[in-house]
Amino acid sequence: MTERTIILDTIDPIMLYGVNNSRLALVRSFFPKLRLTARGNVVRMYGSAPELSAAYAAIESIVRHIEEYNTISDADIANIINNRATEQEVSPGALLYTTAGKAIKARGIHQQQLVDSYAKNDLLIAVGPAGTGKTYLSIALAVRSLKTKQARRIILSRPAVEAGEKLGFLPGDMRDKIDPYLRPLYDALEDMLPQAKLQDLIEKDVIQIAPLAFMRGRTLNDAVVILDEAQNTTRAQLRMFLTRLGTNSKMIITGDLPQIDLPDARRSGLREAVGILGGIEGIAIVGLGREDIVRHPLVTRIVDAYAGIDKTNREQE
């Protein structure tokens, strides 16, 4: 009798084991002569060489499916073992899948332009109103690059600028103080990566989330670097950030020019960058509009209402 071992260090073992090891029992039903045990994140298999080899390949395929799609069903396991397509594999155009198994893909021509521009350029600037998926899609592209080993790490940043109100003193250590500004980035990551895996990647600095002020002096190699809410950077801040780009790296800058929270909106570094960086080889600027909004339908109407007020105010100035 031969023994083989699989260590589950890239997925949550319970996704493979199932409740009360029900999925392990399902796998075993396809290999009736196989003895299979699981403890912690280690799966051990005992049996004859031919059956052991087939079972090992099947479990590896199941693990790869969980890594890519963040979900699996009993039907998927049966399809994988029988070399049939799973439900997720027939979803065209998916960048990756959420922890709930929902496909993340470009919606509309401008989001698709964002995805295509990322593939062809090392610096991408995405500008558009709230709800157009700029940040979410950018983080999805970064996570996909990490999963496909096109990048070794993800670096996410935001300027620590309050949206109108003054938060005053924030208790806690440095991380406690900056987390409220960076929470939207965590939200997107938690939608795309299992909690345990995300925490492990953050602890290993594979995923780094930091305010813009912490970027000075760094050279960001082998990474996907994202700066969110860039409309709230000054000219000097954005220039500093853009020059952090290192070898084998890509950078995505996102922002919404009408939502500048700086004391003087004319000082926005993003506004200047859009004006001077267009047409440079290796840099793409993608504009998203109200038609790209993917949040609640009311968001489109809210954006339209404020756009009308902004237009009236400009005409009166």
Side-chain angles (χ1 to χ4, degrees):
M1 182 175 289
T2 307
E3 175 185 351
R4 296 197 72 173
T5 300
I6 294 179
I7 299 176
L8 306 175
D9 56 0
T10 60
I11 65 169
D12 182 355
I14 194 63
M15 296 188 73
L16 172 63
Y17 300 163
V19 178
N20 296 322
N21 288 338
S22 59
R23 287 180 178 160
L24 284 181
L26 175 61
V27 172
R28 192 183 296 111
S29 70
F30 286 91
F31 306 97
K33 296 181 181 179
L34 182 74
R35 181 184 163 206
L36 191 152
T37 65
R39 184 182 295 272
N41 69 336
V42 179
V43 178
R44 288 188 170 85
M45 298 175 289
Y46 308 87
S48 63
E51 189 167 46
L52 199 61
S53 179
Y56 187 90
I59 292 178
E60 279 201 320
S61 295
I62 292 168
V63 170
R64 285 196 297 270
H65 184 281
I66 296 171
E67 287 174 343
E68 181 168 359
Y69 301 114
N70 285 321
T71 187
I72 199 163
S73 66
D74 290 353
D76 290 331
I77 290 174
N79 285 333
I80 289 169
I81 295 175
N82 290 320
N83 293 315
R84 294 197 297 260
T86 65
E87 180 181 349
Q88 290 86 357
E89 289 172 326
V90 297
S91 178
L95 297 173
L96 69 158
Y97 291 77
T98 69
T99 53
K102 183 179 178 181
I104 300 174
K105 59 178 71 177
R107 301 185 187 181
I109 58 173
H110 295 123
Q111 285 198 2
Q112 188 60 53
Q113 184 182 358
L114 190 156
V115 172
D116 294 341
S117 296
Y118 174 82
K120 298 174 183 176
N121 298 275
D122 289 337
L123 173 60
L124 171 62
I125 300 176
V127 180
T132 53
K134 306 180 301 296
T135 302
Y136 193 81
L137 203 57
S138 296
I139 292 177
L141 288 166
V143 172
R144 186 183 67 171
S145 293
L146 187 65
K147 285 190 170 187
T148 58
K149 303 188 186 308
Q150 294 175 307
R152 289 173 46 204
R153 55 184 177 156
I154 297 173
I155 299 169
L156 307 174
S157 187
R158 269 185 154 209
V161 176
E162 297 159 351
E165 73 276 27
K166 297 297 182 183
L167 299 180
F169 173 78
L170 294 175
D173 58 19
M174 179 61 71
R175 180 163 182 171
D176 293 329
K177 295 176 189 297
I178 65 176
D179 267 3
Y181 298 102
L182 306 175
R183 187 67 248 175
L185 304 180
Y186 285 105
D187 289 344
L189 286 168
E190 288 170 356
D191 206 23
M192 300 173 198
L193 293 165
Q195 182 62 43
K197 180 64 175 176
L198 173 59
Q199 189 60 38
D200 180 61
L201 292 173
I202 291 175
E203 288 175 358
K204 292 178 178 177
D205 279 340
V206 175
I207 294 179
Q208 302 172 24
I209 307 175
L212 180 60
F214 286 21
M215 294 296 111
R216 186 173 297 278
R218 301 185 64 184
T219 301
L220 308 175
N221 297 322
D222 303 307
V224 179
V225 187
I226 298 175
L227 175 61
D228 191 36
E229 298 288 348
Q231 76 276 3
N232 288 327
T233 62
T234 64
R235 177 180 184 273
Q237 286 174 326
L238 189 54
R239 182 176 180 179
M240 176 275 293
F241 187 82
L242 289 170
T243 56
R244 301 305 95 200
L245 186 63
T247 57
N248 301 316
S249 290
K250 285 178 176 282
M251 184 175 282
I252 306 176
I253 311 292
T254 69
D256 179 8
L257 289 173
Q259 289 196 5
I260 298 173
D261 297 312
L262 296 171
D264 182 357
R266 293 171 297 180
R267 296 179 61 237
S268 170
L270 181 62
R271 187 186 298 279
E272 179 186 62
V274 169
I276 67 175
L277 297 180
I280 296 177
E281 184 178 357
I283 300 176
I285 299 177
V286 177
L288 297 100
R290 58 179 299 282
E291 67 275 13
D292 300 301
I293 293 175
V294 292
R295 290 181 185 166
H296 192 287
L298 273 178
V299 175
T300 302
R301 300 172 208 165
I302 292 168
V303 169
D304 287 345
Y306 277 98
I309 291 294
D310 290 341
K311 181 179 180 181
T312 300
N313 290 340
R314 286 195 299 269
E315 290 174 350
Q316 292 175 350
E317 289 177 353

